[in-house]
Structure formats: C-alpha cells, structure tokens
Amino acid sequence: MESWAAERTGVVTLPSGRLVRGRGLRDGPVADGDRPDFGLYLTSRLHQESWPSRWIAWPDFRLPRAPLDAMAALWETYDRSLTERVEVACGGGTGRTGTALAVLARYDGVPAEQAVAWVRAVYRRNAVETPWQRRFVREAPLGRV
C-alpha cells in the first residue's frame, strides 16, 4: 500500500519523515482507500477493525491501564510506521491520540520537554489534554519494553 499523503487531515510527519495518522473514532469509519495497514486504538472498551491492529485499554482523560503494554504497542506502531500506513486513534482523536503521537515523536528524537508542544503544533493545538498525560509523555521510557 502506498504511504499516507502528508497533507491529509490528521497525518503527522515525524522529524525523520515517517508518517502517522491521528484520528478520532467518533468521526466515523474510514473509506476503503483510506484504510491503514495497522492501527493502534486507545479506548476504554475493546476496539477492533478489519485490518491488523492493537487495542490498549485507555480510559478517556486518563492513562493506559497497563502502561508497559502501551509502551510495547507504541514501539510496534513506531516500527511499523517506517514501511506501513499506521494510524493511532481514540474516541475524539485529541487527548489519548495526542499523547501517543507525542510519545512517538520522542522515539523519533523530539526531546521530552518539547514533545507536547511539538504535537500541538503539527497535529492539534489542544492535543495531550491532562497534566498526567503530559507527565506520561515526559517520563515515557525510550528503551524497548
């Protein structure tokens, strides 16, 4: 499958050039030609799609219920973004998705103290909604889990 178009809504270009799409699940289903190769879904209840994906139990406005599992899933998403169309999505596409995108940016070399501002500049201005989400981004371990 071809890569995301960098100018598409929700597509973030990481500093290395990798492309990742952030999306709100409440925005509705994606069209057939807009499907990712892999998706990471951050919701309080199980979320599955017809394409390869991982689900992380992550309540709205909170942190993942299993942080180490979340970090492993974020690493997988980052790895896949090198050669696949990947997306990260939560209910509204802002808090949890923004938090995950900021962690991916850290993996890609954005310093911890700049990652939230970076994702707000390139994705959504109100991404990463809560103080504990901001702390999660700052304190995310960069080593593989």
Side-chain angles (χ1 to χ4, degrees):
M1 187 175 280
E2 65 185 66
S3 181
W4 298 116
E7 67 278 354
R8 303 259 337 220
T9 300
V11 173
V12 171
T13 304
L14 295 172
S16 66
R18 295 172 188 232
L19 301 174
V20 179
R21 179 173 69 188
R23 175 170 81 88
L25 295 169
R26 288 191 294 266
D27 293 339
V30 296
D32 284 341
D34 209 24
R35 294 166 49 127
D37 297 319
F38 177 79
L40 178 61
Y41 301 102
L42 316 169
T43 58
S44 56
R45 289 190 218 134
L46 178 63
H47 182 87
Q48 295 177 306
E49 294 286 355
S50 59
W51 49 81
S53 64
R54 279 185 76 170
W55 167 70
I56 296 298
W58 193 332
D60 203 6
F61 299 107
R62 299 221 192 312
L63 296 176
R65 288 189 184 127
L68 290 179
D69 291 343
M71 298 312 296
L74 286 163
W75 266 113
E76 178 182 0
T77 303
Y78 180 73
D79 285 342
R80 286 174 173 258
S81 71
L82 185 61
T83 58
E84 299 176 48
R85 284 172 32 148
V86 299
E87 76 172 5
V88 177
C90 66
T94 303
R96 293 166 286 181
T97 296
T99 300
L101 291 172
V103 171
L104 296 180
R106 290 214 39 227
Y107 291 162
D108 208 55
V110 175
E113 63 278 359
Q114 296 173 16
V116 171
W118 183 89
V119 82
R120 287 177 174 170
V122 302
Y123 176 61
R124 290 187 181 175
R125 65 181 174 86
N126 54 347
V128 192
E129 296 173 308
T130 67
W132 37 93
Q133 289 173 342
R134 289 190 294 277
R135 185 177 64 240
F136 185 80
V137 170
R138 275 192 320 273
E139 295 176 1
L142 294 185
R144 295 205 182 261
V145 180

